[in-house]
Amino acid sequence: LDPCLENNGGCDVNAICTPDANNNKVQCTCKTGYDNIGSSSNVTCKGTVIFKGYPWNRVTSYESSLL
């Protein structure tokens, strides 16, 4: 069973979940345009987007879904 199929494996909504078949754990990697501001074990992806010509930092899925 792929642990990434449920709740993105526990990864940030702006991260890609990759299953590790050897230990049934997942690896979370931030999507292009996002950087990990957390740790390697607690990936939190933050990106910068342009909104009406101004850069805004987006941290949560709620904020990024507004675009």
Side-chain angles (χ1 to χ4, degrees):
L1 182 65
D2 184 346
C4 293
L5 294 177
E6 186 175 327
N7 195 28
N8 199 29
C11 295
D12 187 277
V13 295
N14 294 310
I16 297 169
C17 177
T18 306
D20 184 339
N22 296 322
N23 59 18
N24 202 33
K25 292 186 179 182
V26 299
Q27 178 181 2
C28 303
T29 307
C30 293
K31 295 176 183 177
T32 302
Y34 293 86
D35 295 311
N36 181 15
I37 60 168
S39 65
S40 60
S41 62
N42 184 21
V43 175
T44 303
C45 302
K46 177 181 176 184
T48 301
V49 295
I50 303 299
F51 183 71
K52 295 185 179 179
Y54 298 96
W56 294 81
N57 290 325
R58 301 291 186 201
V59 177
T60 66
S61 59
Y62 174 76
E63 290 174 327
S64 61
S65 68
L66 294 176
L67 303 176

